[in-house]
Amino acid sequence: MSINLAVIYYSSTGTNYQLAQWAAEGGKEAGADTRVLKVAELAPESVIAGTPAWKAHLEETVSVKNVTGDDLVWADAIIFSTPTRFGNIASQMKQFLDTTGGLWFQGKLANKVVSAMTSAQNSNGGQEQTILSLYTTMYHWGAIVVAPGYTDQSIYAAGGNPYGTSVTIDQDGKMLEDVRGAVQHQAKRVVNVANWLKKGMQ
């Protein structure tokens, strides 16, 4: 039984785009039909132009499809990836989530299997809080949150966040923790749980 996995991310300079790519790899290894999708950029062009890494990443990912409500309906499972913004999700991600009210009202988001990842410039910069903030919306959807917990050794190597994979980024934009294995494990876990749920509901 095939699972449709949507990996939905926002990334200004590329970290969460990389997390999304690794999640897609894990999802495909678990047998899922996978889409990597971005939320639309809302920042003014003048602000983006003033940050070379931001401008370069936006240009590099111009071919990545913007997520729509149809992608949410298609998906059995969804993994979100967003940077931390003052202990909360990026405004671009929040704006997209705020457009899902119609689908929520129709019951089309209930029973989606969901999980989340994040990044920040320091380990105490709100990584756990960002993931938990995103999950609040998922509870309103009636989605089924699947956190990684401590179900694999890769989670310890990645810093041990049980709510979802998170990574610390240095001033040069490099990841300080080795999170690839944890991201892929999280994606596989999400696909497996979605598979159990889909089989059980048929």
Side-chain angles (χ1 to χ4, degrees):
M1 182 180 299
S2 181
I3 294 297
N4 294 335
L5 171 66
V7 184
I8 300 170
Y9 77 94
Y10 172 72
S11 191
S12 54
T13 58
T15 300
N16 285 273
Y17 174 64
Q18 180 62 77
L19 295 179
Q21 294 294 318
W22 288 337
E25 288 175 8
K28 289 174 183 175
E29 287 179 15
D33 183 3
T34 304
R35 295 178 183 175
V36 175
L37 306 153
K38 65 185 178 185
V39 298
E41 181 59 79
L42 303 176
E45 289 184 16
S46 59
V47 174
I48 296 170
T51 308
W54 195 347
K55 184 173 184 291
H57 178 67
L58 194 62
E59 292 171 351
E60 288 166 5
T61 56
V62 68
S63 63
V64 179
K65 180 180 176 289
N66 281 353
V67 64
T68 68
D70 289 340
D71 295 306
L72 298 181
V73 174
W74 168 84
D76 301 301
I78 306 166
I79 297 174
F80 295 94
S81 193
T82 174
T84 291
R85 295 289 186 262
F86 300 109
N88 213 320
I89 64 176
S91 59
Q92 291 87 344
M93 182 68 75
K94 182 65 165 63
Q95 192 276 340
F96 170 69
L97 293 177
D98 285 348
T99 68
T100 64
L103 294 176
W104 163 80
F105 184 76
Q106 297 171 57
K108 292 185 177 180
L109 302 177
N111 300 324
K112 301 291 183 182
V113 174
V114 300
S115 201
M117 308 179 294
T118 192
S119 64
Q121 286 194 334
N122 59 73
S123 58
N124 293 313
Q127 296 181 17
E128 293 181 354
Q129 183 60 38
T130 295
I131 290 173
L132 293 173
S133 295
L134 192 144
Y135 287 162
T136 298
T137 299
M138 302 300 102
Y139 300 138
H140 282 258
W141 279 10
I144 297 167
V145 173
V146 176
Y150 296 106
T151 55
D152 190 78
Q153 280 299 121
S154 62
I155 294 158
Y156 295 96
N161 189 338
Y163 307 105
T165 306
S166 63
V167 67
T168 310
I169 308 301
D170 68 14
Q171 295 299 316
D172 297 320
K174 295 179 180 177
M175 299 185 191
L176 298 185
E177 298 91 8
D178 180 8
V179 300
R180 184 173 186 168
V183 170
Q184 292 180 336
H185 169 73
Q186 184 173 347
K188 291 174 185 177
R189 177 170 164 80
V190 166
V191 171
N192 287 338
V193 172
N195 216 335
W196 300 336
L197 180 68
K198 196 169 184 177
K199 287 178 180 176
M201 293 178 68
Q202 289 189 343

